[in-house]
């Protein structure tokens, strides 16, 4: 598996998601076996930097496969020791960068990736770390240059996937799909890598409202790796878009149990709420907060993710809109991205401050990114301020990108369309 393929946006993916290093194996059972073997080898050779770095990489793979953040703490320990024993090793630098990406420490990740690239200019995984960190720091033009450098060296799954993401951010969804299809065709990597690329293709189709191609991509992912959690979540999102909330819940419940990522758990809560079971929904929302506290205890910066969740659920029991705003402000200071701008804008709007929210909502769409939620958030904020003409235009743009918003946002978006006298978007279950 290419070290960078699941890093940054790909690792967090979640992503969104969240880094699967070079030695990440095909299946979780295999990774556990790799960890056990490396631990045994280190008992015989405790001061071997290469083994320590490999164990750190394996721990990061386990963090991805299990959503257990304690593996980040374990990885930090062995990678710190590997660095002390051999501070100039580029592979260890890459692993340190991957750890920081997983913990959302993007400035540190950028520093490690840059050092690794300087130490070994032919190491593509180093540029992968650099790209992912640049994106998460809002340095989009620099990230485009880095992605181009990766492709110029070799058009691999990892480099082409990053080209796809750059195109997606810059408002070129067709180009993003084309690059991701090229990434799938490039081959290489493990079955898990290939399943992940197919899942990303599904996500791109789903984001554009193309349900049938999205479903096909998710099923291809599951055909390569049975029980692949991210693809199962994708199928659940397709089912929810088609109005099959019971089917969505049936897919999400086991996926959330096996891989309790906050976004998956929150989505299950939203589906439960839409099914008319607020108690079950509240249980899932409480679990999201517990998971994020565990992440935080293991060194993961969670301000952006938790602020987004709290802003989305500002009217739910236990929510604190003011806390969401404070977290979103901290997140924007650390990660000046369009996602952070959107999150702060939405948190401010949900807290009753649409005037303060508007500049951030506008900044979130400055790249022309075709993400329906960004444009819906902007439209809702404008509507609160009585900017009816622009609110209508931007809500129409949101539904033009995709008539299927999230389970949580779709009802309020449709209600807003009614208030703005905007035609209800056409939705076809087989599309």
């Amino acid at each position: 598996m290419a070290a960078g393929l699941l890093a940054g946006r790909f690792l967090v993916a979640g992503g969104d998601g969240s880094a699967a290093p070079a030695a990440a194996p095909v299946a979780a059972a295999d990774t556990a076996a790799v960890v056990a073997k490396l631990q045994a080898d280190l008992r015989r050779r405790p001061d071997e930097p290469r083994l320590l770095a490999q164990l750190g990489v394996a721990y990061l793979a386990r963090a991805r496969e299990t959503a257990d953040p304690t593996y980040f703490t374990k990885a930090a320990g062995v990678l710190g020791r590997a660095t002390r024993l051999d501070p100039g090793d580029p592979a260890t630098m890459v692993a340190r960068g991957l750890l920081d990406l997983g913990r959302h420490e993007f400035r540190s990740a950028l520093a490690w990736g840059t050092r690794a690239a300087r130490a070994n200019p032919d190491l593509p995984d180093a540029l992968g770390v650099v790209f992912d960190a640049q994106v998460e720091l809002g340095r989009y033009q620099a990230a485009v240059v880095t992605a181009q450098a990766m492709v110029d060296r070799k058009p691999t799954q990892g480099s082409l996937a990053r080209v796809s993401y750059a195109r997606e951010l810059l408002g070129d969804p067709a180009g993003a799909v084309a690059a991701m299809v090229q990434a799938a065709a490039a081959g290489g990597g493990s079955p898990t890598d290939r399943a992940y690329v197919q899942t990303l293709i599904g996500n791109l189709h789903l984001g554009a409202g193309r349900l049938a191609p999205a479903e096909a991509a998710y099923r291809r992912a599951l055909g390569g790796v049975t029980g692949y959690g991210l693809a199962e979540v994708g199928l659940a999102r397709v089912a929810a878009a088609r109005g099959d909330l019971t089917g969505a819940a049936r897919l999400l419940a086991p996926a959330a149990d096996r891989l309790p990522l906050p976004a998956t758990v929150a989505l299950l809560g939203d589906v439960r709420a839409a099914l008319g079971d607020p108690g079950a929904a509240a249980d899932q929302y409480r679990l999201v907060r517990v998971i994020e506290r565990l992440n935080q205890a293991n060194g993961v910066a969670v301000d952006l993710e938790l602020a987004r969740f709290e802003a989305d659920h500002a009217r739910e029991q236990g929510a604190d809109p003011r806390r969401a705003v404070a977290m979103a402000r901290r997140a924007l200071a650390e990660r000046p991205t369009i996602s952070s701008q959107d999150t702060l804008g939405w948190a401010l709007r949900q807290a009753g401050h649409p005037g303060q929210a508007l500049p951030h909502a506008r900044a979130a769409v400055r790249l022309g990114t075709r993400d329906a939620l960004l444009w819906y958030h902007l439209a809702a904020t404008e509507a609160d301020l009585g900017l009816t003409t622009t609110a209508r235009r931007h809500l129409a743009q949101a539904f033009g990108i995709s008539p299927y918003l999230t389970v949580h946002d779709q009802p309020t978006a449709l209600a807003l369309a009614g208030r703005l006298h905007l035609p209800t978007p056409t939705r076809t279950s087989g599309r």
Side-chain angles (χ1 to χ4, degrees):
M1 178 183 293
L5 180 57
L6 302 183
R9 170 246 190 169
F10 303 107
L11 168 69
V12 179
D16 352 202
S18 296
V26 172
D30 295 335
T31 313
V34 169
V35 168
K37 183 180 184 305
L38 288 168
Q39 288 172 333
D41 290 344
L42 278 164
R43 282 192 287 273
R44 293 189 296 272
R45 290 178 287 166
D47 293 329
E48 175 56 57
R50 182 181 59 85
L51 291 176
L52 288 163
Q54 289 176 349
L55 181 57
V57 158
Y59 281 147
L60 292 176
R62 290 296 284 157
R64 174 180 57 85
E65 293 167 350
T66 64
D68 181 351
T70 62
Y71 282 109
F72 288 131
T73 301
K74 294 175 181 178
V78 295
L79 291 175
R81 180 166 171 75
T83 300
R84 290 190 294 274
L85 290 167
D86 188 359
D89 178 55
T92 301
M93 295 177 193
V94 168
R96 293 289 296 267
L98 292 170
L99 170 63
D100 285 334
L101 289 173
R103 285 178 151 181
H104 303 169
E105 298 290 346
F106 298 111
R107 287 182 173 82
S108 179
L110 179 59
W112 282 115
T114 302
R115 284 181 59 187
R118 288 173 179 165
N120 184 353
D122 297 324
L123 189 62
D125 294 340
L127 288 182
V129 171
V130 170
F131 173 91
D132 296 337
Q134 287 170 331
V135 166
E136 294 295 342
L137 292 170
R139 304 177 189 181
Y140 299 116
Q141 292 305 319
V144 168
V145 172
T146 301
Q148 187 63 56
M150 293 182 71
V151 172
D152 289 344
R153 293 184 183 193
K154 191 173 182 179
T156 62
Q157 276 189 349
S159 60
L160 289 165
R162 287 177 171 84
V163 169
S164 173
Y165 189 41
R167 290 176 177 177
E168 181 186 353
L169 285 168
L170 296 175
D172 180 11
V177 171
M180 198 62 76
V181 170
Q182 284 182 289
S190 71
T192 305
D193 269 346
R194 294 191 288 274
Y196 188 69
V197 169
Q198 288 297 332
T199 301
L200 292 177
I201 291 173
N203 291 348
L204 288 168
H205 284 304
L206 182 58
R210 297 187 292 265
L211 302 187
E215 179 182 5
Y218 296 137
R219 293 200 182 281
R220 285 195 298 272
L222 289 166
V225 179
T226 302
Y228 187 64
L230 296 179
E232 290 178 332
V233 172
L235 286 177
R237 292 169 65 201
V238 169
R242 288 173 170 159
D244 181 11
L245 295 175
T246 300
R250 189 165 52 244
L251 287 164
L252 282 169
D257 283 342
R258 289 197 309 272
L259 193 66
L261 295 168
T264 303
V265 175
L267 178 57
L268 178 57
D270 292 343
V271 170
R272 297 290 192 205
L275 284 168
D277 191 345
D283 288 342
Q284 297 301 312
Y285 298 152
R286 282 192 292 270
L287 181 57
V288 170
R289 297 180 178 106
V290 170
I291 292 169
E292 293 293 31
R293 284 197 295 271
L294 181 60
N295 281 328
Q296 194 170 34
N298 283 276
V300 181
V302 301
D303 280 344
L304 180 61
E305 291 73 22
L306 194 51
R308 183 180 296 128
F309 169 79
E310 296 291 359
D312 277 341
H313 300 86
R315 293 169 176 79
E316 306 289 344
Q317 185 177 4
D320 185 347
R322 289 176 298 181
R323 179 168 173 261
V325 169
M327 288 188 295
R329 288 194 190 282
R330 291 195 298 268
L332 181 59
E334 291 298 316
R335 300 163 66 175
T337 64
I338 59 171
S339 179
S340 296
Q341 292 282 6
D342 173 63
T343 299
L344 178 53
W346 194 237
L348 284 164
R349 187 263 180 181
Q350 296 290 80
H353 305 293
Q356 296 177 41
L358 185 59
H360 299 289
R362 286 173 172 166
V365 299
R366 71 182 185 274
L367 300 179
T369 309
R370 290 184 62 78
D371 182 330
L373 275 181
L374 299 182
W375 295 96
Y376 160 60
H377 287 170
L378 175 58
T381 303
E382 290 169 332
D384 288 351
L385 294 169
L387 304 174
T388 304
T389 301
T390 55
R392 281 173 53 87
R393 183 171 72 248
H394 291 142
L395 186 59
Q397 188 160 351
F399 284 131
I401 294 168
S402 173
Y404 312 99
L405 299 183
T406 66
V407 173
H408 188 271
D409 289 299
Q410 188 75 11
T412 53
L414 291 175
L416 177 61
R419 293 197 301 275
L420 295 174
H421 306 292
L422 193 71
T424 302
T426 302
R427 306 172 72 200
T428 56
S429 62
R431 186 175 170 186

